[in-house]
Amino acid sequence: MLKDLVEKNRSYRRFCQDFPIEEKTLRELVDMARLSASAGNLQSLKYILSCEPEKNAKIFQHLRWAAYLKDWPGPSEGERPSAYIVILGDNLIGTNFYCDHGIASQSILLGSVEKGLGGCILASIDRDGLRKALDIPKNLEILLVIALGKPKEEVVIENLGPDGDIKYWRDKDGTHHVPKRSLDDIIIGQDM
Ligand SMILES: Cc1cc2nc3c(=O)[nH]c(=O)nc-3n(C[C@H](O)[C@H](O)[C@H](O)COP(=O)(O)O)c2cc1C
């Protein structure tokens, strides 16, 4: 069921780094993004694939992980993603990418979960550093990075507490907890 995939599709940040992801798999995931909706059907998104340790390491150093987990600097060696998909906007095709990259990301991540993988969208990126590291041409705007791998952590959804705090947190066993607002809190103009 699609709902099961959506529920399972959490942001995973710790992975079995030795678990290989082939380029063929990344191509299949980008193909799902290719078939997704695009504003004005411009299809301005381009993608860089990475599944080799050397290229992965170049990308990793320009990413910022889990801003709410103040004491956690990001996944340590051995727990890092096995692959990345860098989503770029080609400003030779269009200069406004609307929410195309969000839709593309969700297609990629749902496809990943269906394959037994998992990932995390990252927008907190040292874009200048990543551009230099991967030699990305000026016409391609760095929009998002999708980190992918075999998840090595448990992520659970919680109901938002009475204090209304939306910050995710980790318990002593390392389980990652993500508070979500209730359905009634987000649908307005209805008396339930
Ligand atoms: C547009 C976008 C940008 C994000 N950027 C980052 C990021 O830079 N670093 C990170 O660790 N997580 C990032 N995330 C993941 C969110 O923190 C995550 O979606 C949120 O905590 C809810 O958890 P869930 O995805 O498991 O529902 C991003 C998510 C989205 C949708």
mmCIF file of all heavy atoms in Angstrom, residues 94-125:
data_model
loop_
_atom_site.group_PDB
_atom_site.id
_atom_site.type_symbol
_atom_site.label_atom_id
_atom_site.label_comp_id
_atom_site.label_asym_id
_atom_site.label_seq_id
_atom_site.Cartn_x
_atom_site.Cartn_y
_atom_site.Cartn_z
ATOM 1 N N GLY A 94 14.857 27.001 -17.291
ATOM 2 C CA GLY A 94 13.918 27.834 -16.528
ATOM 3 C C GLY A 94 14.636 28.383 -15.313
ATOM 4 O O GLY A 94 15.635 27.803 -14.876
ATOM 5 N N THR A 95 14.132 29.506 -14.767
ATOM 6 C CA THR A 95 14.823 30.073 -13.601
ATOM 7 C C THR A 95 14.021 29.860 -12.318
ATOM 8 O O THR A 95 14.515 30.091 -11.236
ATOM 9 C CB THR A 95 15.094 31.577 -13.789
ATOM 10 O OG1 THR A 95 13.895 32.183 -14.230
ATOM 11 C CG2 THR A 95 16.201 31.814 -14.794
ATOM 12 N N ASN A 96 12.749 29.456 -12.451
ATOM 13 C CA ASN A 96 11.931 29.143 -11.281
ATOM 14 C C ASN A 96 11.618 27.645 -11.335
ATOM 15 O O ASN A 96 11.008 27.178 -12.299
ATOM 16 C CB ASN A 96 10.639 29.968 -11.315
ATOM 17 C CG ASN A 96 9.848 29.822 -10.043
ATOM 18 O OD1 ASN A 96 10.019 28.847 -9.306
ATOM 19 N ND2 ASN A 96 8.972 30.763 -9.771
ATOM 20 N N PHE A 97 12.075 26.947 -10.302
ATOM 21 C CA PHE A 97 11.892 25.485 -10.327
ATOM 22 C C PHE A 97 10.651 25.074 -9.524
ATOM 23 O O PHE A 97 10.393 23.893 -9.370
ATOM 24 C CB PHE A 97 13.166 24.796 -9.819
ATOM 25 C CG PHE A 97 14.386 25.281 -10.562
ATOM 26 C CD1 PHE A 97 15.322 26.096 -9.947
ATOM 27 C CD2 PHE A 97 14.546 24.980 -11.902
ATOM 28 C CE1 PHE A 97 16.416 26.584 -10.644
ATOM 29 C CE2 PHE A 97 15.634 25.460 -12.617
ATOM 30 C CZ PHE A 97 16.572 26.274 -11.988
ATOM 31 N N TYR A 98 9.897 26.084 -9.037
ATOM 32 C CA TYR A 98 8.675 25.843 -8.255
ATOM 33 C C TYR A 98 8.947 24.733 -7.229
ATOM 34 O O TYR A 98 9.943 24.789 -6.535
ATOM 35 C CB TYR A 98 7.493 25.528 -9.200
ATOM 36 C CG TYR A 98 7.181 26.708 -10.086
ATOM 37 C CD1 TYR A 98 7.761 26.843 -11.352
ATOM 38 C CD2 TYR A 98 6.337 27.731 -9.642
ATOM 39 C CE1 TYR A 98 7.493 27.949 -12.152
ATOM 40 C CE2 TYR A 98 6.073 28.849 -10.429
ATOM 41 C CZ TYR A 98 6.664 28.945 -11.678
ATOM 42 O OH TYR A 98 6.424 30.044 -12.441
ATOM 43 N N CYS A 99 8.066 23.740 -7.163
ATOM 44 C CA CYS A 99 8.327 22.668 -6.178
ATOM 45 C C CYS A 99 8.718 21.370 -6.883
ATOM 46 O O CYS A 99 8.613 20.283 -6.300
ATOM 47 C CB CYS A 99 7.154 22.472 -5.237
ATOM 48 S SG CYS A 99 5.586 22.253 -6.053
ATOM 49 N N ASP A 100 9.199 21.505 -8.115
ATOM 50 C CA ASP A 100 9.580 20.295 -8.885
ATOM 51 C C ASP A 100 10.566 19.422 -8.113
ATOM 52 O O ASP A 100 10.460 18.182 -8.128
ATOM 53 C CB ASP A 100 10.242 20.684 -10.218
ATOM 54 C CG ASP A 100 9.236 21.145 -11.276
ATOM 55 O OD1 ASP A 100 8.116 21.527 -10.903
ATOM 56 O OD2 ASP A 100 9.597 21.134 -12.466
ATOM 57 N N HIS A 101 11.539 20.063 -7.436
ATOM 58 C CA HIS A 101 12.571 19.253 -6.770
ATOM 59 C C HIS A 101 12.015 18.533 -5.543
ATOM 60 O O HIS A 101 12.504 17.459 -5.193
ATOM 61 C CB HIS A 101 13.827 20.066 -6.431
ATOM 62 C CG HIS A 101 13.601 21.448 -5.961
ATOM 63 N ND1 HIS A 101 12.869 22.394 -6.647
ATOM 64 C CD2 HIS A 101 14.025 22.085 -4.843
ATOM 65 C CE1 HIS A 101 12.854 23.527 -5.982
ATOM 66 N NE2 HIS A 101 13.536 23.355 -4.880
ATOM 67 N N GLY A 102 10.987 19.117 -4.907
ATOM 68 C CA GLY A 102 10.339 18.429 -3.786
ATOM 69 C C GLY A 102 9.594 17.195 -4.274
ATOM 70 O O GLY A 102 9.680 16.117 -3.670
ATOM 71 N N ILE A 103 8.882 17.365 -5.387
ATOM 72 C CA ILE A 103 8.125 16.235 -5.943
ATOM 73 C C ILE A 103 9.099 15.145 -6.404
ATOM 74 O O ILE A 103 8.893 13.953 -6.146
ATOM 75 C CB ILE A 103 7.237 16.718 -7.113
ATOM 76 C CG1 ILE A 103 6.174 17.696 -6.581
ATOM 77 C CG2 ILE A 103 6.578 15.544 -7.825
ATOM 78 C CD1 ILE A 103 5.423 18.442 -7.657
ATOM 79 N N ALA A 104 10.156 15.564 -7.072
ATOM 80 C CA ALA A 104 11.160 14.603 -7.551
ATOM 81 C C ALA A 104 11.757 13.836 -6.364
ATOM 82 O O ALA A 104 11.939 12.616 -6.409
ATOM 83 C CB ALA A 104 12.256 15.327 -8.325
ATOM 84 N N SER A 105 12.048 14.573 -5.283
ATOM 85 C CA SER A 105 12.640 13.939 -4.095
ATOM 86 C C SER A 105 11.725 12.868 -3.526
ATOM 87 O O SER A 105 12.174 11.778 -3.153
ATOM 88 C CB SER A 105 12.895 14.982 -2.996
ATOM 89 O OG SER A 105 13.775 15.952 -3.450
ATOM 90 N N GLN A 106 10.439 13.199 -3.447
ATOM 91 C CA GLN A 106 9.499 12.233 -2.875
ATOM 92 C C GLN A 106 9.406 10.987 -3.758
ATOM 93 O O GLN A 106 9.369 9.864 -3.254
ATOM 94 C CB GLN A 106 8.114 12.880 -2.679
ATOM 95 C CG GLN A 106 7.092 12.002 -1.957
ATOM 96 C CD GLN A 106 7.337 11.874 -0.460
ATOM 97 O OE1 GLN A 106 8.374 12.282 0.061
ATOM 98 N NE2 GLN A 106 6.389 11.306 0.259
ATOM 99 N N SER A 107 9.398 11.175 -5.066
ATOM 100 C CA SER A 107 9.367 10.003 -5.963
ATOM 101 C C SER A 107 10.602 9.136 -5.743
ATOM 102 O O SER A 107 10.509 7.911 -5.642
ATOM 103 C CB SER A 107 9.313 10.448 -7.434
ATOM 104 O OG SER A 107 8.115 11.127 -7.700
ATOM 105 N N ILE A 108 11.751 9.791 -5.655
ATOM 106 C CA ILE A 108 13.010 9.056 -5.457
ATOM 107 C C ILE A 108 12.988 8.309 -4.125
ATOM 108 O O ILE A 108 13.368 7.141 -4.029
ATOM 109 C CB ILE A 108 14.206 10.040 -5.521
ATOM 110 C CG1 ILE A 108 14.415 10.508 -6.969
ATOM 111 C CG2 ILE A 108 15.480 9.413 -4.957
ATOM 112 C CD1 ILE A 108 15.378 11.684 -7.119
ATOM 113 N N LEU A 109 12.515 8.978 -3.082
ATOM 114 C CA LEU A 109 12.544 8.348 -1.751
ATOM 115 C C LEU A 109 11.520 7.223 -1.626
ATOM 116 O O LEU A 109 11.809 6.185 -1.021
ATOM 117 C CB LEU A 109 12.343 9.407 -0.669
ATOM 118 C CG LEU A 109 13.576 10.286 -0.449
ATOM 119 C CD1 LEU A 109 13.248 11.472 0.446
ATOM 120 C CD2 LEU A 109 14.727 9.484 0.145
ATOM 121 N N LEU A 110 10.340 7.410 -2.203
ATOM 122 C CA LEU A 110 9.354 6.319 -2.151
ATOM 123 C C LEU A 110 9.874 5.110 -2.922
ATOM 124 O O LEU A 110 9.725 3.965 -2.481
ATOM 125 C CB LEU A 110 8.004 6.783 -2.707
ATOM 126 C CG LEU A 110 7.225 7.761 -1.824
ATOM 127 C CD1 LEU A 110 5.957 8.229 -2.531
ATOM 128 C CD2 LEU A 110 6.873 7.131 -0.476
ATOM 129 N N GLY A 111 10.504 5.364 -4.057
ATOM 130 C CA GLY A 111 11.110 4.271 -4.830
ATOM 131 C C GLY A 111 12.195 3.575 -4.027
ATOM 132 O O GLY A 111 12.331 2.349 -4.054
ATOM 133 N N SER A 112 12.965 4.363 -3.281
ATOM 134 C CA SER A 112 14.046 3.798 -2.455
ATOM 135 C C SER A 112 13.477 2.892 -1.371
ATOM 136 O O SER A 112 13.976 1.783 -1.143
ATOM 137 C CB SER A 112 14.853 4.906 -1.777
ATOM 138 O OG SER A 112 15.310 5.819 -2.719
ATOM 139 N N VAL A 113 12.429 3.369 -0.704
ATOM 140 C CA VAL A 113 11.829 2.586 0.379
ATOM 141 C C VAL A 113 11.263 1.273 -0.173
ATOM 142 O O VAL A 113 11.420 0.208 0.431
ATOM 143 C CB VAL A 113 10.739 3.415 1.109
ATOM 144 C CG1 VAL A 113 9.970 2.560 2.093
ATOM 145 C CG2 VAL A 113 11.387 4.581 1.837
ATOM 146 N N GLU A 114 10.663 1.365 -1.349
ATOM 147 C CA GLU A 114 10.113 0.149 -1.972
ATOM 148 C C GLU A 114 11.223 -0.872 -2.245
ATOM 149 O O GLU A 114 11.000 -2.073 -2.224
ATOM 150 C CB GLU A 114 9.398 0.520 -3.271
ATOM 151 C CG GLU A 114 8.525 -0.597 -3.803
ATOM 152 C CD GLU A 114 7.973 -0.290 -5.176
ATOM 153 O OE1 GLU A 114 8.671 0.357 -5.980
ATOM 154 O OE2 GLU A 114 6.841 -0.702 -5.439
ATOM 155 N N LYS A 115 12.447 -0.372 -2.474
ATOM 156 C CA LYS A 115 13.589 -1.259 -2.748
ATOM 157 C C LYS A 115 14.301 -1.683 -1.461
ATOM 158 O O LYS A 115 15.388 -2.251 -1.508
ATOM 159 C CB LYS A 115 14.601 -0.534 -3.648
ATOM 160 C CG LYS A 115 14.142 -0.317 -5.086
ATOM 161 C CD LYS A 115 15.159 0.550 -5.817
ATOM 162 C CE LYS A 115 14.715 0.932 -7.233
ATOM 163 N NZ LYS A 115 14.583 -0.212 -8.153
ATOM 164 N N GLY A 116 13.744 -1.332 -0.292
ATOM 165 C CA GLY A 116 14.386 -1.709 0.977
ATOM 166 C C GLY A 116 15.489 -0.759 1.397
ATOM 167 O O GLY A 116 16.270 -1.059 2.302
ATOM 168 N N LEU A 117 15.552 0.395 0.715
ATOM 169 C CA LEU A 117 16.551 1.405 1.075
ATOM 170 C C LEU A 117 15.854 2.538 1.830
ATOM 171 O O LEU A 117 14.685 2.446 2.166
ATOM 172 C CB LEU A 117 17.219 1.943 -0.199
ATOM 173 C CG LEU A 117 17.903 0.880 -1.075
ATOM 174 C CD1 LEU A 117 18.331 1.487 -2.408
ATOM 175 C CD2 LEU A 117 19.109 0.292 -0.345
ATOM 176 N N GLY A 118 16.577 3.592 2.091
ATOM 177 C CA GLY A 118 15.982 4.758 2.740
ATOM 178 C C GLY A 118 16.915 5.933 2.534
ATOM 179 O O GLY A 118 18.045 5.766 2.051
ATOM 180 N N GLY A 119 16.449 7.112 2.883
ATOM 181 C CA GLY A 119 17.318 8.270 2.638
ATOM 182 C C GLY A 119 16.891 9.505 3.381
ATOM 183 O O GLY A 119 16.025 9.455 4.260
ATOM 184 N N CYS A 120 17.525 10.584 3.012
ATOM 185 C CA CYS A 120 17.238 11.872 3.647
ATOM 186 C C CYS A 120 17.420 12.975 2.604
ATOM 187 O O CYS A 120 18.399 12.963 1.848
ATOM 188 C CB CYS A 120 18.199 12.105 4.820
ATOM 189 S SG CYS A 120 17.831 13.589 5.790
ATOM 190 N N ILE A 121 16.471 13.905 2.598
ATOM 191 C CA ILE A 121 16.605 15.106 1.756
ATOM 192 C C ILE A 121 17.499 16.078 2.509
ATOM 193 O O ILE A 121 17.283 16.319 3.695
ATOM 194 C CB ILE A 121 15.226 15.760 1.530
ATOM 195 C CG1 ILE A 121 14.264 14.815 0.825
ATOM 196 C CG2 ILE A 121 15.371 17.071 0.769
ATOM 197 C CD1 ILE A 121 12.828 15.358 0.739
ATOM 198 N N LEU A 122 18.465 16.657 1.837
ATOM 199 C CA LEU A 122 19.278 17.700 2.491
ATOM 200 C C LEU A 122 19.258 18.975 1.658
ATOM 201 O O LEU A 122 19.586 18.953 0.461
ATOM 202 C CB LEU A 122 20.729 17.239 2.687
ATOM 203 C CG LEU A 122 20.851 16.096 3.697
ATOM 204 C CD1 LEU A 122 21.238 14.819 3.004
ATOM 205 C CD2 LEU A 122 21.821 16.432 4.803
ATOM 206 N N ALA A 123 18.859 20.061 2.334
ATOM 207 C CA ALA A 123 18.906 21.383 1.690
ATOM 208 C C ALA A 123 20.002 22.221 2.317
ATOM 209 O O ALA A 123 20.388 23.256 1.776
ATOM 210 C CB ALA A 123 17.563 22.086 1.834
ATOM 211 N N SER A 124 20.447 21.771 3.496
ATOM 212 C CA SER A 124 21.510 22.495 4.185
ATOM 213 C C SER A 124 22.847 22.004 3.621
ATOM 214 O O SER A 124 23.383 20.970 4.032
ATOM 215 C CB SER A 124 21.385 22.224 5.686
ATOM 216 O OG SER A 124 22.277 23.023 6.373
ATOM 217 N N ILE A 125 23.319 22.753 2.634
ATOM 218 C CA ILE A 125 24.466 22.315 1.825
ATOM 219 C C ILE A 125 25.433 23.493 1.691
ATOM 220 O O ILE A 125 24.993 24.623 1.477
ATOM 221 C CB ILE A 125 23.987 21.926 0.394
ATOM 222 C CG1 ILE A 125 22.857 20.897 0.431
ATOM 223 C CG2 ILE A 125 25.136 21.445 -0.476
ATOM 224 C CD1 ILE A 125 22.065 20.792 -0.879
#
